[in-house]
């Protein structure tokens, strides 16, 4: 098998239907699938994939440097705003080298969990005093290099962040690192960001209705449309954001962004936790995707968003590990359904293939990749989950797809392929074999401490 061709034989593979298919021969050339044949014999030389194979998972919402404070905020931090203060402490320290190292180790953790593409919602732009680096996109290039060095795709969702609250309070302290001065300054910087790697692309983001003046929403949406960039927005994560928006604009965040023409099938609302019925209808009718980040929303006591209602209204669902209290998209996917069960007292809201689609194809569309499905022509990204682990044993006797989506964890991932190239084999990253040790060192350096202390 040469570097630009791939032939694999999957014991079971999910091809988009109600259940997995058996004995699927999958071939790729130059990074894209060429043929997909269920019920086929394995040709000599094929890479055999025992277990269940799916399209590579897509993490649509990451703030990679938040990985440094995992486990640091589980006591004595009462709410989202207190947590944010701690997170800002890390943001105030990072430089291009420490960010690169932390991002590479974290993206390797993602790869090991089956993630083949990440949407990095990137708002840390400038030097410690708020001044641009010699290359104003230095930190964007650091996260791009980190992802491509560990072999996963990245969409840098380059984020516009201009003010401290809805009243236009100027940015202060660490927030000056986020500040491009104006939406035009942001757009000039984004236009200059041209990644050379085929694994990297650019998207746009409005941080939130808090952080961008409303008169900039329309121009940013037009810029994104002109440049054919996916557009992401944090939406109604916290009741306090809604209250401030209503008090200042007399509109909900969803309404305010709708007025400016932000919502469309190229847009993704992240969280969408506290919505009115009219908000849900507007988002659904526009075809806006919803990035659910359930483990973060739990961790930060945000609440349970109306994902099922949004899906019924017309919004595709996708997932993100966001603040990385854990990195496990299998958990993110099932949490959409399971959290709704807790709220409603009713089981069975989302069919199993809808959850699988949220982890794969819908996520890829949200961050602008022609991936997330195993079919001829799509980018050749795959993940294979073992079916003989303590968690997945028994899956072969029933619906393997449902079993994996409701019981597998990141630890059950065995093989990961991106663009036809294997990056994880037998649960080990091929370029970064000691991901735990690298994370230990990278987190310590991001926190300004000696490793292990
Ligand atoms: Zn976020």
């Amino acid at each position: 098998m040469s570097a630009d061709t791939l032939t694999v034989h999957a014991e079971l593979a999910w091809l988009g239907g109600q259940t997995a298919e058996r004995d699927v021969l999958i071939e790729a050339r130059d990074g894209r699938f060429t043929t997909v044949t269920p019920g086929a014999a394995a040709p000599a030389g094929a890479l055999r994939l025992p277990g269940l194979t799916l399209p590579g998972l897509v993490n649509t919402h990451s703030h990679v440097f938040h990985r440094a404070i995992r486990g640091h905020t589980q006591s004595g931090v009462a709410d989202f705003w207190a947590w944010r203060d701690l997170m800002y402490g890390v943001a105030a320290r990072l430089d291009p080298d420490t960010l690169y190292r932390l991002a590479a180790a974290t993206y390797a953790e993602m790869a090991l969990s089956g993630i083949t593409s990440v949407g990095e919602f990137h708002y840390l732009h400038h030097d410690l005093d708020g001044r641009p680096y010699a290359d104003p996109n230095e930190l964007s290039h650091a996260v791009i290099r980190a992802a491509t060095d560990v072999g996963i795709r990245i969409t840098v969702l380059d984020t516009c962040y201009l003010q401290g609250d809805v009243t236009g309070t100027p940015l202060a302290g660490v927030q000056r690192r986020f500040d491009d001065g104006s939406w035009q300054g942001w757009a000039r910087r984004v236009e200059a960001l041209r990644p050379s790697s085929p694994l990297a692309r650019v998207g746009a983001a409005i941080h939130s209705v808090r952080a961008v003046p409303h008169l900039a929403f329309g121009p940013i949406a037009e810029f994104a449309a002109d440049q054919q960039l996916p557009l992401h927005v944090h939406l109604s994560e916290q009741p306090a954001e809604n209250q401030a928006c209503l008090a200042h604009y007399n509109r909900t965040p969803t309404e305010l962004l709708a007025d400016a023409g932000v919502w469309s099938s190229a847009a993704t609302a992240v969280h969408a936790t506290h919505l009115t019925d009219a908000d849900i209808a507007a988002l659904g009718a526009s075809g806006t995707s919803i990035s659910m980040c359930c483990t973060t929303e739990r961790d930060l006591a945000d609440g349970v968003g109306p994902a099922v209602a949004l899906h019924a209204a017309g919004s595709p669902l996708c997932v993100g590990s966001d603040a990385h209290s854990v990195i496990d998209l299998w958990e993110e996917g099932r949490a959409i359904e399971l959290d709704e069960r807790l709220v409603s007292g009713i089981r069975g809201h989302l069919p199993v293939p809808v959850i699988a689609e949220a982890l794969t194809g819908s996520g890829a569309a949200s961050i602008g990749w022609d991936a997330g499905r195993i079919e001829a022509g799509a980018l050749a990204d795959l993940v294979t989950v073992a079916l003989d682990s303590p968690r997945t044993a028994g899956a072969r006797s029933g619906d393997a797809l449902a079993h994996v989506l409701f019981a597998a964890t990141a630890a059950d991932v065995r093989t990961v392929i991106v663009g036809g190239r294997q990056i994880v084999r037998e649960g080990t990253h091929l370029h970064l074999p000691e991901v735990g040790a690298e994370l230990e060192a990278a987190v310590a350096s991001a926190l300004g401490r000696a490793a292990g202390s």
Side-chain angles (χ1 to χ4, degrees):
M1 203 159 26
S2 76
D4 56 358
T5 65
L6 175 79
T7 303
V8 301
H9 190 264
E11 177 192 355
L12 291 165
W14 179 64
L15 304 181
Q18 293 299 307
T19 59
E21 309 281 339
R22 183 167 289 285
D23 294 323
V24 183
L25 178 64
I26 303 168
E27 294 173 295
R29 177 181 295 276
D30 298 331
R32 289 181 182 266
F33 297 121
T34 51
T35 62
V36 179
T37 314
L47 175 65
R48 294 197 181 240
L49 298 177
L52 174 65
T53 296
L54 293 96
L57 307 187
V58 180
N59 189 359
T60 60
H61 193 66
S62 163
H63 304 286
V64 70
F65 72 87
H66 294 188
R67 175 63 179 84
I69 56 167
R70 178 186 295 178
H72 288 236
T73 63
Q74 296 303 345
S75 58
V77 182
D79 62 12
F80 172 90
W81 307 101
W83 168 87
R84 193 180 73 160
D85 287 342
L86 285 170
M87 180 269 284
Y88 277 179
V90 179
R93 297 190 53 85
L94 290 166
D95 63 28
D97 292 336
T98 50
L99 176 63
Y100 168 81
R101 191 169 189 191
L102 179 59
T106 304
Y107 294 144
E109 180 184 358
M110 289 186 194
L112 290 178
S113 75
I115 292 165
T116 53
S117 303
V118 61
E120 180 63 34
F121 199 104
H122 179 68
Y123 54 81
L124 192 64
H125 301 307
H126 304 300
D127 208 341
L128 305 179
D129 58 2
R131 270 185 288 194
Y133 289 99
D135 177 345
N137 285 309
E138 175 90 26
L139 294 177
S140 298
H141 288 300
V143 294
I144 288 169
R145 258 191 309 119
T148 58
D149 283 355
V150 301
I152 69 170
R153 300 183 197 281
I154 183 170
T155 301
V156 178
L157 298 161
D158 194 310
T159 304
C160 187
Y161 197 130
L162 301 172
Q163 61 185 21
D165 59 33
V166 290
T167 67
T169 301
L171 295 176
V174 65
Q175 292 180 324
R176 289 178 304 157
R177 300 194 75 179
F178 318 156
D179 190 2
D180 287 308
S182 64
W183 77 264
Q184 293 94 336
W186 165 84
R188 277 193 297 276
R189 195 177 46 69
V190 174
E191 268 190 307
L193 179 59
R194 309 260 166 169
S196 55
S197 169
L199 293 178
R201 55 169 301 156
V202 178
I206 295 169
H207 180 276
S208 58
V209 297
R210 295 195 310 273
V212 177
H214 78 289
L215 292 177
F217 298 160
I220 292 172
E222 282 173 32
F223 173 83
D226 284 349
Q227 307 270 322
Q228 298 187 298
L229 308 179
L231 176 62
H232 285 218
V233 190
H234 283 133
L235 182 71
S236 293
E237 180 177 8
Q238 287 287 324
E241 173 183 311
N242 284 5
Q243 289 154 11
C245 189
L246 283 164
H248 190 69
Y249 295 114
N250 200 29
R251 306 287 277 154
T252 66
T254 299
E255 289 168 346
L256 194 63
L257 290 154
D259 293 346
V262 167
W263 304 128
S264 77
S265 58
T268 297
V270 181
H271 301 301
T273 307
H274 301 283
L275 302 183
T276 66
D277 289 347
D279 291 342
I280 293 168
L283 288 163
S286 67
T288 297
S289 293
I290 307 297
S291 177
M292 294 295 293
C293 305
C294 295
T295 67
T296 299
E297 290 147 12
R298 276 177 202 167
D299 187 75
L300 297 179
D302 289 343
V304 177
V308 172
L310 284 159
H311 183 254
S315 282
L317 301 179
C318 49
V319 299
S321 62
D322 190 4
H324 310 311
S325 58
V326 296
I327 293 175
D328 190 331
L329 293 199
W330 311 102
E331 176 60 23
E332 302 293 346
R334 62 182 162 253
I336 302 173
E337 164 70 22
L338 296 176
D339 289 358
E340 183 73 20
R341 292 184 190 179
L342 283 175
V343 170
S344 66
I346 298 168
R347 306 180 84 243
H349 299 277
L350 297 175
V352 166
V354 171
I355 298 173
E357 178 68 16
L359 296 180
T360 57
S362 296
S366 163
I367 62 169
W369 291 102
D370 181 21
R373 58 196 196 280
I374 304 175
E375 66 178 44
L379 290 166
D381 301 350
L382 297 171
V383 54
T384 304
V385 179
L387 297 182
D388 56 1
S389 82
R391 291 159 295 278
T392 57
R396 290 182 174 96
S397 65
D399 180 343
L401 181 66
H403 188 127
V404 163
L405 290 179
F406 280 89
T409 73
D412 300 319
V413 168
R414 289 291 173 272
T415 301
V416 179
I417 291 169
V418 178
R421 289 169 190 248
Q422 195 167 4
I423 62 167
V424 173
R425 179 185 297 151
E426 291 301 319
T428 298
H429 196 283
L430 293 176
H431 312 313
L432 205 63
E434 300 293 339
V435 174
E438 189 52 36
L439 273 163
E440 178 78 27
V443 166
S445 116
L447 296 174
R449 300 176 188 172
S453 66

